[in-house]
Amino acid sequence: GQQVMQIPQYQHVQEGEDFTTYCNSSTTLSNIQWYKQRPGGHPVFLIQLVKSGEVKKQKRLTFQFGEAKKNSSLHITATQTTDVGTYFCAGNFGNEKLTFGTGTRLTIIP
Amino acid sequence: DTGVSQNPRHKITKRGQNVTFRCDPISEHNRLYWYRQTLGQGPEFLTYFQNEAQLEKSRLLSDRFSAERPKGSFSTLEIQRTEQGDSAMYLCASSSRRAGPNTGELFFGEGSRLTVL
């Protein structure tokens, strides 16, 4: 089936350290999106990647889409307490629904 | 507020009762999605509307679940004969994408949390 796997499930980092979460699909993705969900909140769109090998940056966040369009990563440089939350990748497989990964929950140790 | 609105925000019900959730998408968004999220998991796709037409339903959506979007604006999700396993957050999202595959950016509501006792 069309599934999106995400690792790690949890990540605890000291404030100021970097953080990376990885997303993998067994089949080629049409595009991939990333969302952030704060504790008690709802998913909020961060970015969409469409092209093979695409890299996009948003301030301290760097998003990559693999050459084969089967994997993606989100890297946060120098984490801050405001980065706390769960980060989800979500893949489009060329149909009209978005398939979410299991998420990586980021906690920051001040 | 022009975001996606969902109500009720919380619903506690006894097993066997029926519940209905309402979603008001961002105006002029013609695509509307329902997702279900349980603790520690990512949102799971339930169903999707393009205007008033329900175009796809997940196998997760048993015959106890029904969704409507009668005039292509707001949508309702009804669960009949609720079971404890239905306890979850029910999220609604809308998208401005008008044609073609792929969803475009999804704008989520705050969700409706269901607890079945």
Side-chain angles (χ1 to χ4, degrees), chain B residues 10-30:
Chain B
H10 303 275
K11 180 71 177 180
I12 300 173
T13 191
K14 293 182 179 179
R15 187 164 49 96
Q17 298 295 305
N18 299 344
V19 296
T20 300
F21 301 116
R22 175 178 169 129
C23 172
D24 288 87
I26 294 171
S27 59
E28 299 178 357
H29 277 195
N30 63 341

Side-chain angles (χ1 to χ4, degrees), chain B:
Chain B
D1 182 64
T2 58
V4 178
S5 176
Q6 291 188 247
N7 64 81
R9 294 289 310 279
H10 303 275
K11 180 71 177 180
I12 300 173
T13 191
K14 293 182 179 179
R15 187 164 49 96
Q17 298 295 305
N18 299 344
V19 296
T20 300
F21 301 116
R22 175 178 169 129
C23 172
D24 288 87
I26 294 171
S27 59
E28 299 178 357
H29 277 195
N30 63 341
R31 292 191 179 188
L32 185 148
Y33 300 80
W34 284 99
Y35 281 80
R36 179 173 66 187
Q37 186 175 29
T38 54
L39 198 61
Q41 300 297 315
E44 294 176 297
F45 172 83
L46 293 179
T47 191
Y48 147 67
F49 290 85
Q50 174 96 18
N51 300 311
E52 67 276 6
Q54 187 175 20
L55 297 185
E56 187 168 349
K57 291 172 60 175
S58 167
R59 283 171 297 208
L60 293 173
L61 215 63
S62 76
D63 56 5
R64 297 184 297 104
F65 288 71
S66 62
E68 294 183 339
R69 194 183 183 196
K71 297 182 180 179
S73 57
F74 73 92
S75 175
T76 58
L77 177 68
E78 181 183 16
I79 309 173
Q80 295 182 326
R81 306 181 302 281
T82 52
E83 302 173 355
Q84 288 184 326
D86 297 332
S87 295
M89 176 73 83
Y90 290 85
L91 292 164
C92 176
S94 66
S95 165
S96 61
R97 188 169 176 87
R98 293 200 171 272
N102 301 321
T103 61
E105 173 184 350
L106 295 189
F107 294 82
F108 282 88
E110 298 284 351
S112 293
R113 181 170 296 283
L114 173 64
T115 302
V116 181
L117 301 176

Side-chain angles (χ1 to χ4, degrees), chain A residues 11-20 79 106-110:
Chain A
Q11 187 80 57
H12 311 283
V13 299
Q14 290 275 354
E15 188 175 6
E17 291 183 341
D18 294 355
F19 159 78
T20 305
T79 54
L106 173 63
T107 56
I108 306 289
I109 305 166

Side-chain angles (χ1 to χ4, degrees), chain A residues 31-101:
Chain A
N31 63 53
I32 195 156
Q33 298 179 14
W34 285 90
Y35 289 78
K36 177 182 179 181
Q37 187 171 23
R38 294 183 183 275
H42 59 279
V44 174
F45 176 84
L46 294 176
I47 208 158
Q48 175 172 282
L49 304 171
V50 179
K51 299 177 182 177
S52 169
E54 189 169 14
V55 178
K56 286 188 177 180
K57 293 189 176 183
Q58 288 180 349
K59 297 183 180 178
R60 295 178 294 105
L61 278 61
T62 302
F63 304 85
Q64 293 187 317
F65 201 10
E67 293 290 342
K69 299 184 72 172
K70 289 184 178 181
N71 58 76
S72 181
S73 65
L74 159 59
H75 179 82
I76 302 178
T77 304
T79 54
Q80 300 174 359
T81 55
T82 54
D83 296 325
V84 163
T86 301
Y87 293 84
F88 292 100
C89 61
N92 267 140
F93 291 92
N95 51 27
E96 288 84 14
K97 69 180 185 183
L98 202 57
T99 301
F100 280 78

